[in-house]
Amino acid sequence: MAAKPQEKRPREPRSFRALIFSLLIILLGFATIGLGVCELYVSLNLGDLKNPEPWAADLWALFANSGLMLLPHLYSIMDFVIGSIFILCGYLIFRVKHMEFAALTAFATGLVALFVYGIGDWWTYVARIKYEGLAVMYLRVILQGAVPIIVSALSLTAQRQEAKTLMGRRIRSFWEDFSHNKIGLVGMAILFTYIIAAVLVPVLSLGVNPEKTDLADELVPPSWIDFFYPSLRDLPRTLHQEYNFTDYFVTLPESIKNDPSVTWSWNGRSFEFNISGLSYNESAPFRISLETVSDYYPYNPPRGGGFIIGFTLEVDPHQYYSPSEKIARAFYNVELNMTSPVNTTNLWDAEWYNKRQYYYSQSITPRQELMPLNISSPDKRLQKTKINETFQLTSDLYWSHKMGFVNKDGAVDWQSLSNALFPQKGNYSYQMYFYINATATYSRTTDTTTIYPIYYFARIKPIFLDVKGMLHGIMGTDHLGRDIWSRIVHGIKISLAIGLASAVASSFIGVMVGVVAGYLGGTVDELMMRLVDILLCLPVLPLLIVLVYMYGQNVWYIVILIAIFGWQGLSRVIRSQVLSLREAAFVECATASGASRTYIMIRHLIPNVLPIVLSDFVLSVPGGIMTEAGLSFIGFGDPTTPTWGREFNIMWTEGGAFAVFAWWWFVPPAIAITVLCLAFVFLGHAVDEIVNPRLRRRR
Amino acid sequence: MPLLSIENLKMYFYTLRGWVRAVDDVSLSLEKGDSLGIAGESGCGKTSAILTLLRLLPRNGKVFGGKINFAGKDLLKLSDREFSKEIRWKKISTVFQGAMNSLHPTIKVGDQIVESITIHESVSKEEAVKRAGKLLDLVGIGASRFDRYPHELSGGMKQRTMIAMSLACNPELVVLDEPTTALDVIIAAQVLKVIKELQQKLNLSTLLISHDLSMIAETCNKIAIMYAGKVVEQGDIVSVFKETLHPYTQKLIAAFPSVLGRKTELSSIHGFPPDLLTPPPGCRFHPRCDYAMEICRKEEPPVISAGKDHYVACWLVGGRKE
Amino acid sequence: MTLRKYLAKRIVVGIITLLIVATLNFVIFVLQPSDPTRYLLQPGMKPEQKEMIAREYGLRDPLDVRYFKYLRNMFSYGLIPPYFGISFKSKQTVASEMSWRMQLTVLLLGSAMIGRTIVGIPAGIFAAAKRGGKLDVAIMGCALLTFGIPIFVLQLLSIFFFSYLANIYGIRIFPTGGGLGGPYKSFWDFLPGAAWHLSLPILVLTFGGFGGWALYTRNMLIDALTQDYIVTARAKGLSERTVLYKHAFKSILPPVATMITLSIPGIVTGAIITETIFGLEGIGKWYVESLSRGSPNYPVVQAVLFIFATLTIMFNIIADLLYGVLDPRIRVGARR
């Protein structure tokens, strides 16, 4: 690495491979810039996404669906920068000038793009708009990440075979050593697996939103364990069945049998009943009977409380107001029977429902609004009594009391209830009776009895059965019924990002401080080294805790803090290395030939300390991951990001994973974080062996 | 009967790329009171041969045959235990190259000498300390430096300490492995002087390894020239220097400046020493030899006697004899 | 530079560092947007009462007075009044509360340190002695593994399997938690209970942390074994054991001792996580608890952080001195 000769060197011959690769990179660069222009234009027309130009929205959706998401507004600068770097690098490779440097730059840029679009936090910005169905920007990852990485790496090999520059030789010898290092290769393989997994998060998580609750019952094990325990094969899985009405008949009083104002219909999704008109005048109640299809229920009884039988009712009933009782009443009643393969059970009865309706009216109707009750036209109906509600069986204590599923402590015995309702697999069907008393002339206490015009509307939606699974997915569920697998998979992305970002930042600071302090010396050196001394003597973890506690719990803030406390060791090593390099002949040569300090630092010193930086960098990645996980674990992490540390925190503090031995919640993040950290430890060990000749096998 | 005779010693190193024939069919002999110098380029197997003799081979070194007779015993047949107990340091001691690093940095030099006495002889501590002091006096350091750490001594002093340590148990043979590397000329001369004095005073047999022919010429009365794991020429120092037979020896001597002789252009030997993984067939020197003949490329030259106490392995000489 | 001068310099830097930590600590709690005294002032109090309590705690003094009082408080290490101040929560002096918690922490970490040394250093030596053998591979594998597992994961795992799972099957070797509340009358009073409750954490700390030490010892020793003076020692006829334990180990003793000393601060601050997981009432758990409520119990936080900083600085200086003492080549100087 001597000083550059002054005379112009003849241009090196360019290989066909290098030509192809350089053209490819230039092409990618122009494509990226084109994309940038396009997205700038589109995003300006998108406005704030609330009322976009229709063509822009269409275009945006088109690109989004093709995996080449157009970045919004300012983010499109990213494309211009990346595109220009590619063009520049491609040109340099084309001219066979600083070729390794250009190839490495393109390589690094590709890595950054891969990181940002594939595993960074960027796409969640987009994902927040619409979570499901939106993939990661695959095309972007491939075009701006994977392809440049591969092409630039290949162009480096192409160059190596002809012009053997020092850097090329170094890279080659490093790679040769590395490819014989088993531990290093294992680490590399694991790391690549993780990176690919991080890019493929939306696919791997099977499109399950990690924050969506009640996907199954709480703390249920993964579904594949029935393979090992065949007795569990019939445990219920998450199930939603709708029982449509197939048969219905209405028993009307004789007097109104032929009244045209009474109509009813089943339209496939709901049963509708309607009385509208003045001619109706009948005080006797009548009944609508509805019969559902029978549907096969394939599992054992669900966990007690882990099921819902319900139906949705919309009633806009005829009102009656009793001034003395000061309540409004609307008359309807529901009775529901369930026919299991064993017997028929009465789930709701009319008597009880009547009671419920009473409370209902009382609770929601303010008296003052009811006073000017003068219902002369249908428009003046009391809107408030309109019911649109889903009734659920499990939430009704009344019913279980009535059926006797209450144990001696007075608590509802949900499991017995569940066992009684779902005794075995088989066909289940429901019968519903809907009672209507559309009389308008009922009053016990007032003298004036008025007949009002009749209006009555009821809509009954199909009966549904929701069973929360007792086995779920790949990794079961947590205490809120969230999908653990999806949460773990999302953790890959964020953990990698945290580890790499903190390591990059701390390495950068470390190199800068070390090189500047070592090369400039004097006061600068003294000041910087005293700063290093002080920082080295700080109790890092307690300080991190206090700082995170006080100033915001945000992942990127934590990353910055980790980086701030993580560069001192590296800078000391670098400084001592630079101190000896400073005296080396090639540096003196460069100084003598008039090279500037900056040039010497960038061209000579930094490349020569890079091997040390590399090993330190690799080993500080797991440090960052572990520190963040530890902070999150004791509750000082980012509460909005699903990191593995936070997962441990949740299961430890509120999840109760330990009491029920929920290994499916505990073991996966433990393995995930351990294997990821191990990958870096292996890599670091290997790099250290190569870079640090003291550890090489001698003789 | 010679004090030490090495016969057909073969020692190869195992590497990932194959067996490296570091010492191949080496025979040497040394009478009591003699001093033998072994010369050759770096990597020719000098040090490997000595390490084999001292049983200090690294794990990948393996002896494939030959005999090392020392005072009537075949050293290769002794167990490690017997060797440590009977031969090491008591009979054969060593002064290693690299004076800087051969002493333990955090143990006092006197203690290191005392240690080498006490492990071999059942003497009291005081006795051993006294003897160590005497030894330090003998090599000209002085017993007053008993309590110094190695880093407090100069390079020459360290090497002299090493020599003192090698004499701790009154050995019959002292092996000096490039004792003056890393020393400047004056200090080296002092050390050599010490060695020569001791040779005379104690009637020591020494085995000196060096690539410096002039040093061997000064301190030894016999010389063996090694090339690529083989001894190409050996004999009395005078006859080897005066009647040089092997082309390699000739070139080696020509590559050294003569203080007294005419000012001549120093010649160097073109080419590089062969890769001992796959040594060239026939004579190993033939790719660099100016007189290489057809037979040199095919068959290995036998060792033949070329006068009193002068042996050489070269087809040129053999051809002349026939 | 003489030893004394060097030591003086280190101590000055140490005190400056302490001052920085203390100031940071002060500034953080003064600048905090919410009122740090919410703990103290109950919502039902009258304003006069609030004012009185605030005065009593010196919260209404001007900032500079508070700062110097605070510094005096910190640098007296709780030995003179006001004994690190009054804990908002328990209304006792922080120093008195700290003393019994400190006992537990010291017992826990001291045992763990000894355990690690006993396991880690010999493991490294054996691995280096049998380099390339099965033992070496096994120890290296374990060491790399413990290097890669975050310590809290290992601790959780151990609780998970040895406490909860074992309890499910009716095996009660290790406690599931609780039962070791303070304060204690004397050290000997709580030792028997502590021994049972600390057994699992100590084991985990020992085996979870030995990897780094074993690896470091091994690498240093392997490096030492290739040195020329080892060849000399062998040639002298020393037995392989003497070579390994006396010569080779003696030459790596300074860096190994330094490593152990330097890792003490990390282990001490690691107590925060360990004690939280195992529910041990040491100063680490106390620190976290004082922070994790809605309003911080800041006299405690400040005092504990200051103690942590002091320990870190102290052991850094000790490490430097130790290297000088053990290695005659470097009477004073840097450890790297």
Side-chain angles (χ1 to χ4, degrees):
Chain A
M1 213 180 264
K4 280 158 67 179
Q6 293 300 310
E7 76 271 18
K8 210 177 170 188
R9 274 184 296 184
R11 202 201 286 167
E12 289 170 55
R14 177 171 57 227
S15 77
F16 182 66
R17 271 167 93 182
L19 180 74
I20 295 286
F21 293 146
S22 63
L23 290 181
L24 198 56
I25 291 180
I26 291 175
L27 195 70
L28 278 175
F30 277 114
T32 308
I33 285 189
L35 195 68
V37 173
C38 177
E39 72 199 358
L40 197 62
Y41 189 58
V42 167
S43 65
L44 286 178
N45 281 296
L46 267 179
D48 53 358
L49 288 176
K50 275 179 189 143
N51 44 4
E53 299 272 333
W55 64 266
D58 287 349
L59 204 60
W60 189 82
L62 183 73
F63 272 100
N65 289 331
S66 69
L68 198 85
M69 178 73 65
L70 292 178
L71 303 175
H73 294 312
L74 285 175
Y75 297 118
S76 56
I77 289 174
M78 188 88 187
D79 271 337
F80 289 107
V81 172
I82 290 182
S84 337
I85 292 177
F86 282 161
I87 292 173
L88 192 70
C89 293
Y91 175 74
L92 285 178
I93 296 173
F94 180 78
R95 294 289 306 270
V96 198
K97 206 176 164 190
H98 296 299
M99 184 164 159
E100 288 80 15
F101 180 69
L104 274 183
T105 311
F107 189 86
T109 314
L111 271 181
V112 169
L114 185 80
F115 185 75
V116 168
Y117 300 130
I119 61 182
D121 209 25
W122 274 65
W123 68 275
T124 50
Y125 168 84
V126 182
R128 259 174 223 140
I129 302 168
K130 182 183 167 198
Y131 183 79
E132 272 154 296
L134 252 191
V136 84
M137 308 176 223
Y138 291 112
L139 215 52
R140 234 172 224 279
V141 168
I142 293 169
L143 286 182
Q144 297 182 12
V147 173
I149 287 174
I150 296 168
V151 168
S152 53
L154 284 177
S155 66
L156 215 54
T157 63
Q159 174 70 355
R160 260 190 271 149
Q161 287 164 353
E162 294 138 22
K164 293 192 174 176
T165 61
L166 184 65
M167 197 184 250
R169 254 182 283 140
R170 278 190 182 176
I171 292 167
R172 174 152 67 169
S173 78
F174 180 84
W175 174 246
E176 253 174 28
D177 283 344
F178 188 81
S179 61
H180 285 111
N181 195 313
K182 278 183 205 153
I183 285 187
L185 289 179
V186 168
M188 195 73 155
I190 300 174
L191 182 59
F192 267 105
T193 315
Y194 268 91
I195 289 178
I196 292 168
V199 174
L200 295 180
V201 160
V203 177
L204 280 181
S205 66
L206 308 172
V208 179
N209 187 336
E211 300 292 343
K212 191 164 188 286
T213 56
D214 284 326
L215 289 171
D217 216 331
E218 297 153 11
L219 287 170
V220 301
S223 55
W224 44 262
I225 62 164
D226 64 358
F227 181 78
F228 301 100
Y229 300 99
S231 60
L232 302 181
R233 201 152 285 165
D234 292 330
L235 277 184
R237 310 296 206 276
T238 300
L239 181 77
H240 178 83
Q241 284 181 335
E242 288 202 354
Y243 293 83
N244 285 330
F245 300 116
T246 50
D247 200 7
Y248 51 88
F249 48 94
V250 183
T251 46
L252 288 175
E254 282 302 316
S255 58
I256 56 163
K257 233 172 195 162
N258 296 316
D259 194 329
S261 58
V262 181
T263 55
W264 61 87
S265 66
W266 164 252
N267 66 2
R269 265 173 308 186
S270 59
F271 180 84
E272 285 180 17
F273 178 82
N274 202 1
I275 306 173
S276 157
L278 284 167
S279 59
Y280 181 84
N281 185 12
E282 174 57 56
S283 58
F286 60 92
R287 186 175 86 167
I288 305 168
S289 309
L290 300 151
E291 185 85 24
T292 67
V293 289
S294 73
D295 207 341
Y296 188 69
Y297 173 76
Y299 304 121
N300 284 342
R303 188 188 282 177
F307 65 93
I308 297 169
I309 302 169
F311 51 89
T312 302
L313 206 57
E314 270 178 60
V315 187
D316 188 2
H318 174 70
Q319 310 293 325
Y320 166 71
Y321 177 67
S322 157
S324 61
E325 291 176 70
K326 296 194 167 130
I327 55 168
R329 272 181 175 164
F331 293 98
Y332 60 88
N333 272 323
V334 179
E335 194 175 330
L336 185 67
N337 293 337
M338 180 176 82
T339 307
S340 72
V342 176
N343 56 3
T344 299
T345 319
N346 179 240
L347 300 180
W348 268 277
D349 55 20
E351 183 197 347
W352 164 70
Y353 203 77
N354 192 13
K355 246 181 205 165
R356 182 188 155 88
Q357 184 255 335
Y358 174 87
Y359 297 130
Y360 170 76
S361 314
Q362 189 181 41
S363 61
I364 72 156
T365 313
R367 275 174 223 164
Q368 279 73 18
E369 281 188 40
L370 286 171
M371 286 306 285
L373 185 70
N374 178 17
I375 304 174
S376 54
S377 77
D379 297 319
K380 294 270 173 76
R381 280 172 291 119
L382 275 175
Q383 298 296 323
K384 289 260 169 147
T385 51
K386 223 171 157 181
I387 300 165
N388 184 356
E389 203 182 336
T390 301
F391 298 96
Q392 298 184 351
L393 179 62
T394 48
S395 56
D396 283 309
L397 273 172
Y398 171 85
W399 190 84
S400 46
H401 276 269
K402 182 170 165 279
M403 295 291 285
F405 289 116
V406 179
N407 62 22
K408 58 181 191 292
D409 306 327
V412 178
D413 186 352
W414 293 113
Q415 196 55 54
S416 307
L417 176 62
S418 175
N419 292 345
L421 287 180
F422 300 91
Q424 66 185 60
K425 300 179 210 177
N427 287 319
Y428 284 69
S429 64
Y430 296 86
Q431 300 83 42
M432 183 187 258
Y433 305 106
F434 193 73
Y435 297 93
I436 293 172
N437 188 351
T439 182
T441 56
Y442 176 70
S443 171
R444 277 179 304 177
T445 51
T446 50
D447 300 330
T448 49
T449 304
T450 324
I451 295 175
Y452 297 110
I454 288 294
Y455 177 87
Y456 206 106
F457 172 79
R459 178 184 288 145
I460 307 165
K461 293 198 174 146
I463 294 163
F464 63 83
L465 169 67
D466 261 333
V467 174
K468 292 182 182 174
M470 289 173 72
L471 295 175
H472 174 83
I474 301 173
M475 281 301 163
T477 59
D478 65 5
H479 69 306
L480 295 176
R482 293 180 290 197
D483 186 60
I484 291 175
W485 171 252
S486 173
R487 293 177 71 78
I488 303 300
V489 166
H490 279 80
I492 296 177
K493 185 171 71 76
I494 194 73
S495 290
L496 265 180
I498 288 170
L500 290 174
S502 62
V504 165
S506 68
S507 298
F508 182 77
I509 305 176
V511 171
M512 286 305 136
V513 171
V515 168
V516 168
Y519 185 62
L520 296 186
T523 323
V524 180
D525 183 29
E526 186 67 18
L527 278 178
M528 282 178 167
M529 284 304 114
R530 289 294 82 75
L531 180 67
V532 166
D533 279 348
I534 288 173
L535 280 173
L536 268 178
C537 284
L538 289 181
V540 176
L541 188 64
L543 263 183
L544 276 180
I545 291 175
V546 160
L547 289 173
V548 170
Y549 174 79
M550 288 298 169
Y551 300 110
Q553 309 191 335
N554 175 307
V555 167
W556 300 114
Y557 178 69
I558 294 171
V559 164
I560 290 169
L561 281 180
I562 292 175
I564 286 177
F565 288 108
W567 55 268
Q568 303 86 0
L570 178 67
S571 75
R572 266 200 180 179
V573 178
I574 298 273
R575 174 179 167 270
S576 63
Q577 189 80 7
V578 168
L579 279 183
S580 69
L581 279 175
R582 195 168 67 165
E583 310 299 328
F586 63 87
V587 174
E588 283 181 355
C589 248
T591 318
S593 59
S596 74
R597 287 170 165 188
T598 326
Y599 177 83
I600 288 174
M601 280 195 258
I602 292 174
R603 187 74 185 85
H604 292 306
L605 296 179
I606 292 182
N608 273 299
V609 296
L610 274 186
I612 311 172
V613 180
L614 186 65
S615 85
D616 186 89
F617 169 78
V618 172
L619 281 176
S620 68
V621 173
I625 294 175
M626 285 189 201
T627 310
E628 192 280 332
L631 280 177
S632 293
F633 170 69
I634 47 175
F636 294 94
D638 186 342
T640 58
T641 315
T643 66
W644 293 328
R646 185 166 153 252
E647 201 68 10
F648 284 114
N649 175 258
I650 295 172
M651 78 179 75
W652 178 249
T653 54
E654 51 189 281
F658 286 71
V660 299
F661 197 66
W663 53 266
W664 55 89
W665 193 4
F666 180 78
V667 174
I671 291 179
I673 195 168
T674 305
V675 173
L676 180 57
C677 290
L678 269 185
F680 282 105
V681 170
F682 284 173
L683 265 182
H685 187 74
V687 172
D688 215 30
E689 249 181 11
I690 296 166
V691 168
N692 192 350
R694 279 154 64 94
L695 292 183
R696 272 194 207 171
R697 284 168 188 268
R698 293 202 174 182
R699 287 189 192 145
Chain B
M1 187 182 163
L3 179 68
L4 171 75
S5 78
I6 297 174
E7 291 167 24
N8 303 347
L9 183 68
K10 288 184 185 175
M11 197 283 297
Y12 300 164
F13 286 117
Y14 182 75
T15 65
L16 288 175
R17 288 157 67 213
W19 290 97
V20 174
R21 304 179 183 192
V23 180
D24 207 359
D25 227 354
V26 165
S27 299
L28 293 168
S29 75
L30 176 71
E31 300 288 341
K32 184 151 180 63
D34 271 0
S35 57
L36 171 67
I38 303 180
E41 287 169 286
S42 302
C44 71
K46 298 171 301 201
T47 305
S48 298
I50 294 311
L51 290 178
T52 316
L53 168 67
L54 296 168
R55 286 215 188 180
L56 290 172
L57 286 175
R59 264 181 221 167
N60 58 344
K62 204 179 166 203
V63 178
F64 275 85
K67 278 183 187 167
I68 302 177
N69 285 317
F70 179 79
K73 278 182 196 154
D74 189 350
L75 295 188
L76 290 177
K77 287 198 177 122
L78 292 179
S79 71
D80 280 349
R81 222 183 132 77
E82 286 167 336
F83 185 83
S84 287
K85 215 171 164 191
E86 293 170 18
I87 307 294
R88 262 202 185 135
W89 224 253
K90 252 174 149 177
K91 299 278 171 64
I92 305 177
S93 65
T94 333
V95 175
F96 285 102
Q97 62 184 1
M100 302 301 164
N101 302 322
S102 291
L103 289 169
H104 196 285
T106 61
I107 302 180
K108 291 168 185 167
V109 290
D111 287 343
Q112 295 190 44
I113 300 177
V114 168
E115 186 188 37
S116 54
I117 296 172
T118 48
I119 52 172
H120 290 293
E121 293 173 26
S122 50
V123 291
S124 69
K125 184 90 197 269
E126 293 78 35
E127 173 74 22
V129 169
K130 213 185 275 173
R131 267 174 66 180
K134 269 186 196 162
L135 285 168
L136 285 174
D137 278 336
L138 188 67
V139 293
I141 290 180
S144 58
R145 292 203 169 86
F146 188 93
D147 280 337
R148 296 293 178 87
Y149 285 100
H151 70 276
E152 294 167 316
L153 301 179
S154 70
M157 281 173 163
K158 274 191 224 171
Q159 195 59 295
R160 280 192 263 175
T161 312
M162 274 303 291
I163 293 170
M165 193 152 71
S166 73
L167 299 174
C169 298
N170 300 319
E172 294 176 25
L173 174 66
V174 177
V175 178
L176 299 145
D177 187 357
E178 310 211 7
T180 56
T181 33
L183 298 180
D184 62 56
V185 186
I186 296 173
I187 305 295
Q190 286 174 3
V191 171
L192 278 186
K193 201 176 146 210
V194 169
I195 293 172
K196 273 169 82 175
E197 279 171 15
L198 291 174
Q199 275 174 352
Q200 284 157 13
K201 219 187 265 179
L202 305 174
N203 192 23
L204 275 179
S205 313
T206 54
L207 193 57
L208 177 77
I209 295 174
S210 179
H211 49 253
D212 186 348
L213 284 180
S214 56
M215 191 178 122
I216 290 176
E218 200 176 325
T219 40
C220 300
N221 57 359
K222 284 182 147 192
I223 189 166
I225 310 286
M226 282 186 76
Y227 180 78
K230 289 192 177 280
V231 176
V232 291
E233 187 164 5
Q234 76 170 297
D236 184 67
I237 194 125
V238 181
S239 72
V240 170
F241 273 85
K242 288 267 154 68
E243 300 166 34
T244 313
L245 292 172
H246 201 280
Y248 177 66
T249 318
Q250 289 167 3
K251 291 206 164 194
L252 206 59
I253 290 170
F256 269 88
S258 160
V259 178
L260 299 173
R262 290 182 299 123
K263 275 188 187 170
T264 51
E265 186 101 343
L266 288 180
S267 68
S268 64
I269 307 175
H270 65 87
F272 296 97
D275 181 4
L276 293 179
L277 270 172
T278 50
C283 175
R284 288 188 181 176
F285 187 60
H286 81 254
R288 302 167 77 186
C289 185
D290 294 340
Y291 316 106
M293 303 177 293
E294 196 54 36
I295 191 163
C296 297
R297 298 192 178 92
K298 284 176 185 158
E299 282 181 56
E300 230 175 280
V303 179
I304 49 175
S305 175
K308 185 182 175 285
D309 205 13
H310 191 162
Y311 303 91
V312 68
C314 183
W315 285 116
L316 281 174
V317 184
R320 236 188 286 164
K321 285 276 154 186
E322 280 162 22
Chain C
M1 207 175 346
T2 61
L3 180 63
R4 195 172 296 168
K5 207 172 157 195
Y6 179 73
L7 189 62
K9 192 178 158 193
R10 287 301 314 238
I11 289 176
V12 167
V13 171
I15 289 173
I16 291 172
T17 315
L18 267 182
L19 245 154
I20 289 173
V21 173
T23 309
L24 193 71
N25 223 340
F26 183 77
V27 168
I28 283 174
F29 287 99
V30 167
L31 291 187
Q32 209 221 351
S34 70
D35 184 8
T37 56
R38 253 189 304 172
Y39 234 127
L40 208 61
L41 308 174
Q42 304 299 326
M45 282 180 181
K46 286 177 199 146
E48 306 89 72
Q49 256 178 317
K50 282 188 183 182
E51 200 54 33
M52 212 175 76
I53 293 176
R55 283 239 176 78
E56 204 174 299
Y57 278 87
L59 296 174
R60 295 291 180 266
D61 293 340
L63 219 52
D64 54 335
V65 175
R66 276 174 73 186
Y67 180 61
F68 285 110
K69 266 189 185 170
Y70 161 82
L71 280 189
R72 181 172 152 271
N73 191 6
M74 286 294 127
F75 279 94
S76 65
Y77 287 100
L79 297 174
I80 56 166
Y83 306 114
F84 274 145
I86 310 263
S87 163
F88 289 165
K89 196 182 154 208
S90 67
K91 312 284 191 291
Q92 288 175 325
T93 59
V94 172
S96 71
E97 271 200 273
M98 186 183 279
S99 64
W100 63 264
R101 282 172 211 265
M102 200 64 136
Q103 286 176 8
L104 190 132
T105 304
V106 167
L107 186 67
L108 170 72
L109 299 177
S111 322
M113 281 288 307
I114 293 168
R116 263 188 213 192
T117 315
I118 289 174
V119 175
I121 308 295
I125 294 174
F126 288 143
K130 301 270 186 292
R131 186 178 187 190
K134 275 179 191 157
L135 187 70
D136 182 24
V137 172
I139 289 176
M140 286 279 290
C142 286
L144 280 183
L145 198 69
T146 59
F147 225 54
I149 301 184
I151 190 79
F152 73 90
V153 170
L154 199 68
Q155 288 166 346
L156 285 176
L157 265 176
S158 72
I159 288 196
F160 200 51
F161 286 104
F162 293 122
S163 293
Y164 282 90
L165 185 62
N167 273 0
I168 287 175
Y169 291 106
I171 312 162
R172 273 179 69 79
I173 316 169
F174 299 112
T176 42
L180 197 62
Y184 323 100
K185 283 194 203 83
S186 76
F187 182 73
W188 303 110
D189 220 24
F190 94 115
L191 195 61
W196 191 50
H197 280 271
L198 293 182
S199 52
L200 189 57
I202 288 172
L203 277 178
V204 175
L205 278 179
T206 300
F207 287 97
F210 90 101
W213 295 17
L215 219 58
Y216 187 77
T217 312
R218 172 189 179 270
N219 289 345
M220 293 298 294
L221 204 55
I222 282 175
D223 189 41
L225 282 174
T226 57
Q227 298 292 329
D228 289 340
Y229 53 82
I230 296 298
V231 180
T232 312
R234 287 206 179 113
K236 278 195 326 198
L238 295 176
S239 69
E240 200 57 27
R241 268 175 66 175
T242 323
V243 169
L244 192 64
Y245 293 109
K246 190 172 170 201
H247 284 237
F249 187 68
K250 196 163 181 190
S251 70
I252 66 158
L253 192 59
V256 167
T258 308
M259 172 201 70
I260 292 177
T261 322
L262 278 183
S263 66
I264 291 175
I267 295 176
V268 171
T269 53
I272 293 175
I273 288 176
T274 309
E275 287 169 1
T276 308
I277 289 178
F278 288 97
L280 303 169
E281 291 292 337
I283 56 169
K285 189 175 177 232
W286 196 31
Y287 182 75
V288 171
E289 276 178 352
S290 304
L291 271 175
S292 55
R293 301 281 158 73
S295 60
N297 191 353
Y298 71 82
V300 173
V301 176
Q302 286 171 337
V304 176
L305 192 58
F306 194 73
I307 292 284
F308 279 148
T310 311
L311 285 176
T312 314
I313 291 159
M314 218 166 73
F315 282 109
N316 268 286
I317 295 175
I318 289 177
D320 272 12
L321 292 181
L322 205 61
Y323 203 110
V325 169
L326 291 175
D327 192 339
R329 282 171 296 182
I330 303 163
R331 279 292 165 217
V332 292
R335 58 180 171 270
R336 271 171 226 274

